[in-house]
Amino acid sequence: MVRKMSYCRKCGAEIHDGELCCPNCGEPTGEMRQTTVSLDASSEKVMACLGYFTWIGLVIALLITKGQRRSEFLRFHMNQAIVLDLVALLSLIPVIGIVVGVACFVARAYCIIGAAQENMWKLPVIGEITIIKE
């Protein structure tokens, strides 16, 4: 059985065939290929709209786009969805809750329509709050 071996171009250590980096210094062998998956415009619209459907939709959208560079469009809508969900927590207050609940329902519909049409409409009062910076 013949094993194919090569040597690290940085430190000269032996590298077995198929290894992605030098076991001695960690230098990549050149066999490694980086792939970056990015969302296309229609996928971004879906993720933006999904973020407005309850906390579960927002968590799913955040997890799907985790590790990817989010566009300004997607970052804007995810940020606005988080702020809207936080404001919606006020609907748990007995008297004011009904008004806040209805307002949040209308705001969600407004935001979903805006995201589907690729618009970045800011909500009044809470539209300036930024939670997701990057």
Coordinates of all heavy atoms in Angstrom, one line a residue, residues 73 76-77 111 113-121:
F73 N -31.4 45.3 3.4 CA -32.8 45.0 3.3 C -33.2 44.0 4.4 O -34.2 44.2 5.2 CB -33.2 44.5 1.9 CG -34.6 44.0 1.8 CD1 -35.7 44.9 1.6 CD2 -34.9 42.7 1.8 CE1 -37.0 44.5 1.5 CE2 -36.2 42.2 1.7 CZ -37.2 43.1 1.5
F76 N -32.7 45.3 8.0 CA -33.7 46.3 8.3 C -35.0 45.6 8.8 O -35.5 45.9 9.8 CB -34.0 47.2 7.1 CG -35.2 48.1 7.3 CD1 -35.1 49.3 8.0 CD2 -36.5 47.7 6.8 CE1 -36.3 50.1 8.2 CE2 -37.6 48.5 6.9 CZ -37.5 49.7 7.6
H77 N -35.5 44.6 8.0 CA -36.7 44.0 8.3 C -36.6 43.1 9.6 O -37.5 43.0 10.3 CB -37.2 43.2 7.1 CG -37.9 44.1 6.1 ND1 -39.1 44.8 6.3 CD2 -37.4 44.5 4.9 CE1 -39.4 45.5 5.3 NE2 -38.4 45.4 4.4
C111 N -45.9 45.9 7.5 CA -44.5 45.5 7.3 C -44.3 44.3 6.3 O -43.4 44.2 5.5 CB -43.8 45.1 8.6 SG -43.6 46.5 9.7
I113 N -46.4 43.5 3.9 CA -46.6 44.0 2.5 C -45.4 44.8 2.0 O -45.0 44.6 0.9 CB -47.9 45.0 2.5 CG1 -49.1 44.1 2.8 CG2 -48.0 45.7 1.2 CD1 -50.4 44.9 3.1
G114 N -44.8 45.6 2.9 CA -43.6 46.3 2.5 C -42.5 45.4 2.2 O -41.8 45.6 1.2
A115 N -42.2 44.4 2.9 CA -41.2 43.4 2.7 C -41.4 42.7 1.4 O -40.5 42.5 0.6 CB -41.0 42.5 3.8
A116 N -42.7 42.3 1.1 CA -43.0 41.6 -0.1 C -42.8 42.5 -1.3 O -42.5 41.9 -2.4 CB -44.5 41.1 0.0
Q117 N -43.0 43.8 -1.2 CA -42.8 44.7 -2.3 C -41.4 45.3 -2.3 O -41.1 46.2 -3.1 CB -43.8 45.8 -2.2 CG -45.2 45.4 -2.4 CD -46.2 46.5 -2.2 OE1 -45.9 47.6 -1.8 NE2 -47.4 46.3 -2.6
E118 N -40.5 44.7 -1.5 CA -39.1 45.1 -1.4 C -38.9 46.6 -1.0 O -38.0 47.3 -1.4 CB -38.3 44.8 -2.7 CG -38.2 43.4 -3.0 CD -37.5 43.1 -4.3 OE1 -36.8 44.0 -4.8 OE2 -37.5 42.0 -4.8
N119 N -39.8 47.1 -0.1 CA -39.7 48.4 0.4 C -39.2 48.4 1.8 O -39.3 47.3 2.5 CB -41.1 49.1 0.4 CG -41.6 49.4 -0.9 OD1 -40.9 49.8 -1.8 ND2 -42.9 49.2 -1.2
M120 N -38.6 49.4 2.2 CA -38.1 49.5 3.6 C -38.8 50.7 4.3 O -38.2 51.7 4.6 CB -36.6 49.7 3.6 CG -35.9 48.5 3.1 SD -34.1 48.6 2.8 CE -33.5 49.6 4.0
W121 N -40.1 50.5 4.6 CA -40.9 51.5 5.3 C -40.7 51.4 6.8 O -40.8 50.3 7.4 CB -42.4 51.3 5.0 CG -42.8 51.3 3.6 CD1 -42.3 52.1 2.6 CD2 -43.8 50.6 3.0 NE1 -42.9 51.9 1.4 CE2 -43.9 50.9 1.6 CE3 -44.8 49.6 3.4 CZ2 -44.8 50.4 0.7 CZ3 -45.7 49.1 2.5 CH2 -45.7 49.5 1.2

